[in-house]
Amino acid sequence: MQLRKMILFIILGAFIVSTTAQFQPPGRILEPPIPALCAQRIIHDRFNGKGYYYSWADPRTNGQEVDWLAGRNFCRQRCMDLVSLETSAENEFIKNQIVRDNVKYIWTSGRLCDFKGCDRPDLQPLHVNGWFWTAELQKLAPANDRSQNDWSESGGIGKPQPDNREAIQQGGAPENCLAVLNQFYKDGVHWHDVACHHKKPWVCEDNESLLKYVHFTNQKIRV
């Protein structure tokens, strides 16, 4: 039993370390969980057994907007991660909360593959096949398969998402992060690719791997 726990600890630790090297800008780090914050994390809602945190529902973060990595780090410090909309039911659940609370947009964990190894054949073309839920390292369905995702049919230049508009139209940063926008372009509540430096409210959800890691390394702390 002790050996089994040690193996699980090693696997979880390796997972956490491996994720720090991916989906992040140079010079910034993806932060590990902080046990005390994990134990004190706020849960605003639950869905299918997972707890969710809404930045706008917390008086300490209400009105704050942060870039994509800052949102991830806030969540990860609390054994959570930015929300991954892996099923249509979860997607509708989160969209309903956005509409209910009249929130303009939120960050998700969605990210376009943009690190070493993203040139592999199965990810090409990248803007179609290179999207991931980074919290789970799970690949999204191809962006042009509209039955498998919730990308908007429109955007700032009237083209289906993802359109990389900021880079193409303005010569700015690539739109490598996935946000949910609420009628921002009068197109309903749908997914949009957005440059990761933009600042938005965020939604965290419990991350099982981080919770297990903290549980096995800090057994006196209840998470």
Side-chain angles (χ1 to χ4, degrees):
M1 185 67 176
Q2 193 63 33
L3 177 60
R4 181 181 174 185
K5 286 185 176 180
M6 181 63 69
I7 292 172
L8 180 58
F9 166 76
I10 293 171
I11 292 172
L12 291 172
F15 171 81
I16 291 170
V17 170
S18 70
T19 59
T20 63
Q22 302 177 60
F23 303 107
Q24 60 179 324
R28 297 178 66 185
I29 64 169
L30 191 60
E31 297 181 10
I34 299 173
L37 292 181
C38 294
Q40 300 165 10
R41 73 190 185 283
I42 295 173
I43 303 297
H44 290 123
D45 224 336
R46 290 191 179 275
F47 180 76
N48 282 351
K50 280 190 175 182
Y52 292 81
Y53 170 92
Y54 308 135
S55 67
W56 61 88
D58 184 346
R60 296 171 298 179
T61 54
N62 180 30
Q64 289 187 27
E65 297 186 355
V66 300
D67 67 25
W68 184 83
L69 183 58
R72 279 205 79 188
N73 280 337
F74 178 97
C75 299
R76 285 176 58 88
Q77 288 174 349
R78 292 157 177 81
C79 285
M80 306 178 90
D81 210 323
L82 286 176
V83 65
S84 301
L85 305 175
E86 299 166 87
T87 67
S88 58
E90 184 179 23
N91 186 52
E92 291 304 313
F93 169 74
I94 293 298
K95 286 167 61 171
N96 287 337
Q97 313 317 308
I98 295 171
V99 172
R100 179 197 68 187
D101 295 338
N102 195 30
V103 178
K104 293 189 296 184
Y105 35 55
I106 64 159
W107 283 129
T108 75
S109 80
R111 182 75 184 250
L112 186 68
C113 192
D114 59 356
F115 58 93
K116 186 177 180 181
C118 293
D119 57 349
R120 68 189 208 207
D122 64 303
L123 297 181
Q124 306 310 311
L126 205 58
H127 71 282
V128 173
N129 296 310
W131 289 91
F132 285 81
W133 297 121
T134 57
E136 305 295 337
L137 293 182
Q138 178 177 321
K139 191 171 178 291
L140 274 72
N144 57 7
D145 184 351
R146 299 286 159 172
S147 67
Q148 299 276 339
N149 57 56
D150 196 19
W151 292 105
S152 175
E153 293 292 342
S154 186
I157 52 177
K159 291 185 176 182
Q161 302 297 295
D163 62 359
N164 201 25
R165 177 186 65 85
E166 188 168 323
I168 293 173
Q169 187 180 46
Q170 303 172 6
E175 296 188 327
N176 286 351
C177 288
L178 195 160
V180 179
L181 273 54
N182 179 5
Q183 294 286 2
F184 195 81
Y185 296 107
K186 302 188 186 306
D187 61 335
V189 186
H190 296 291
W191 303 354
H192 286 254
D193 59 330
V194 178
C196 304
H197 68 268
H198 286 279
K199 296 184 177 181
K200 303 185 184 303
W202 64 99
V203 174
C204 305
E205 68 176 330
D206 283 340
N207 184 281
E208 186 176 353
S209 295
L210 297 181
L211 286 166
K212 285 182 177 178
Y213 176 78
V214 167
H215 172 72
F216 280 109
T217 55
N218 300 267
Q219 296 197 11
K220 292 184 179 181
I221 293 181
R222 185 175 181 180
V223 296

